[in-house]
Amino acid sequence: MSNTVPKIISGSSIPRKIKEFTFPTTKELVDLYKVRATTYTLGPDLSDNFIMEIGAGPGTITKSILNRAIQYDNCKVSLVERDKRFVPIHEVMKECYPENAYQMVYNDILKWPDVENEIINHWNTLQPGYFNNANRVQVIGNLPFNIASPLIISMLRRMSHNEGFLGHPNVDLLLMFQRDVADRFHATPHNRVISRLTIVSQFVCESKIELKLKAGSFTPAPEVDAALVRFKKREKVLDERIEFEELEKVATYAFNNRRKTLTNNFKNIFKDTEKELKELNMNPKDRPEDYDTDKYCLLTRYIKDFYPKFMKAHINQLLQNKFKRPLEEIEI
């Protein structure tokens, strides 16, 4: 029996091309259920945990989170949603849970400092010093693919500086990305998916893919597959001698022209490019994808120490002049 819905055409207006809808397979339905019942990822004990869900929407995942949270002492939940069309659903949902079991925040998650301040002020008002005494901070989200990269960069930056509740020593992020982006976080050298995201995320966190999902697991189906990625904050960043922003700038500069050799990428930064790269145990003929985060930390320290003007310049200035003028000729 075919699992494709036949085309049904009625009336005088007949579109030239009708896209057929294909039912998800059994496996895809099971995978979708796993995401909707994603409480298995929260851990066995949620006592004194803080959980934040990004993009609560109609509450599909939210309800399973709350049903777990209310079973434990002092487990607090904040839900963030930008679209206020979901307010009526949230008002009904509120009647099903104890008072102050969770907080609803209507704001754009890309305005992270505002969202975070509202959350911290709310829980600290109800329970002074709440985040200082929390056992763990968890952030969960099925992110819109178009904001996933800038959002995770912003979160990683705050984690690296121990800012806000992401400064807590025990932080887990569990976020949905399109599959090709998810693969970048745990990429290794000599792999074409390695990128700036690889370098800066590994600087702050360890990560792994928890679940892979076909596009057909979602309705409406996106054009790409997805994956659920868990990030576990490191006790300290990989190299405390450099800042997150410095590493990000070097990685952005290198991967902006990822198919060019290191010599071509850095010839307008270094005075003697090949010699200096060799001193760093980097092959001048290699490409940016051939090195891991530790090596990028070393490269960043070197540039910071011997070419401080690079760190002072805006990244857009550096990229605009990358193959035009040497660093010393750039006005900052």
Side-chain angles (χ1 to χ4, degrees):
M1 179 178 176
S2 172
N3 68 338
T4 301
V5 177
K7 299 176 183 178
I8 301 175
I9 302 174
S10 61
S12 58
S13 178
I14 301 176
R16 291 184 178 180
K17 186 176 181 181
I18 298 178
K19 184 178 181 180
E20 294 181 342
F21 172 76
T22 303
F23 286 114
T25 64
T26 302
K27 182 181 184 304
E28 288 169 344
L29 288 172
V30 170
D31 286 344
L32 180 58
Y33 174 77
K34 286 180 182 178
V35 176
R36 289 182 173 173
T38 190
T39 52
Y40 80 98
T41 60
L42 297 176
D45 186 358
L46 301 184
S47 299
D48 294 306
N49 272 222
F50 169 71
I51 302 170
M52 172 185 178
E53 185 192 1
I54 299 172
T60 306
I61 296 175
T62 306
K63 286 177 283 189
S64 58
I65 294 172
L66 291 174
N67 289 341
R68 281 285 313 282
I70 61 175
Q71 299 176 37
Y72 295 88
D73 292 335
N74 210 29
C75 181
K76 305 299 184 185
V77 180
S78 289
L79 311 172
V80 181
E81 176 55 57
R82 185 181 67 173
D83 194 339
K84 291 190 176 182
R85 289 177 296 178
F86 292 114
V87 169
I89 297 175
H90 300 156
E91 289 298 319
V92 172
M93 191 171 68
K94 187 185 297 183
E95 301 298 322
C96 302
Y97 296 97
E99 185 179 4
N100 294 326
Y102 70 95
Q103 171 201 20
M104 197 71 230
V105 178
Y106 293 102
N107 207 334
D108 185 349
I109 194 60
L110 290 179
K111 299 177 181 178
W112 183 275
D114 294 339
V115 172
E116 187 177 57
N117 287 336
E118 184 174 346
I119 290 172
I120 291 174
N121 290 337
H122 174 82
W123 292 116
N124 280 346
T125 298
L126 293 176
Q127 191 173 328
Y130 171 73
F131 286 97
N132 293 332
N133 299 315
N135 284 336
R136 181 168 60 155
V137 169
Q138 300 193 64
V139 180
I140 297 170
N142 184 359
L143 305 179
F145 292 160
N146 62 318
I147 71 165
S149 292
L151 179 58
I152 188 62
I153 289 289
S154 175
M155 295 169 74
L156 291 168
R157 183 180 295 114
R158 294 182 76 80
M159 290 167 72
S160 75
H161 293 299
N162 293 318
E163 294 177 353
F165 56 72
L166 293 181
H168 192 281
N170 189 6
V171 176
D172 274 4
L173 311 178
L174 189 71
L175 305 171
M176 186 81 73
F177 297 90
Q178 65 187 62
R179 179 63 190 280
D180 66 315
V181 174
D183 287 338
R184 296 175 194 174
F185 295 113
H186 59 94
T188 53
H190 314 298
N191 189 324
R192 288 194 175 186
V193 301
I194 195 170
S195 70
R196 172 188 64 136
L197 279 178
T198 311
I199 304 305
V200 296
S201 66
Q202 292 179 4
F203 181 67
V204 182
C205 296
E206 296 176 339
S207 67
K208 67 174 182 176
I209 292 180
E210 292 276 6
L211 186 66
K212 300 173 184 177
L213 290 157
K214 294 290 186 181
S217 300
F218 302 91
T219 303
E223 296 181 355
V224 293
D225 295 343
L228 199 60
V229 183
R230 179 184 294 279
F231 301 85
K232 178 68 177 175
K233 183 180 178 181
R234 298 182 186 275
E235 290 186 10
K236 57 183 180 180
V237 296
L238 282 182
D239 191 332
E240 295 182 290
R241 291 166 289 185
I242 59 175
E243 300 290 341
F244 179 93
E245 292 80 3
E246 294 167 340
L247 177 65
E248 182 187 15
K249 182 178 285 188
V250 171
T252 300
Y253 188 84
F255 283 99
N256 185 254
N257 300 92
R258 59 180 304 126
R259 298 308 301 153
K260 290 187 177 294
T261 64
L262 294 178
T263 297
N264 284 331
N265 268 300
F266 289 97
K267 65 183 180 182
N268 277 345
I269 302 299
F270 295 159
K271 294 176 181 177
D272 191 339
T273 309
E274 291 198 8
K275 178 183 177 182
E276 292 174 83
L277 286 170
K278 288 177 180 178
E279 288 175 350
L280 294 169
N281 291 321
M282 301 177 78
N283 187 335
K285 295 182 180 179
D286 281 345
R287 292 181 169 83
E289 65 196 38
D290 292 320
Y291 293 95
D292 62 11
T293 303
D294 286 329
K295 186 62 75 173
Y296 273 94
C297 289
L298 174 63
L299 178 61
T300 301
R301 289 205 315 270
Y302 182 83
I303 293 174
K304 179 180 180 179
D305 291 342
F306 294 97
Y307 298 96
K309 189 175 182 179
F310 179 94
M311 295 303 179
K312 294 178 182 178
H314 192 280
I315 186 61
N316 289 342
Q317 279 184 298
L318 295 169
L319 294 178
Q320 288 168 6
N321 291 281
K322 189 169 185 178
F323 303 112
K324 297 177 182 178
R325 292 188 293 171
L327 179 64
E328 59 265 23
E329 293 182 9
I330 299 176
E331 295 182 5
I332 59 172

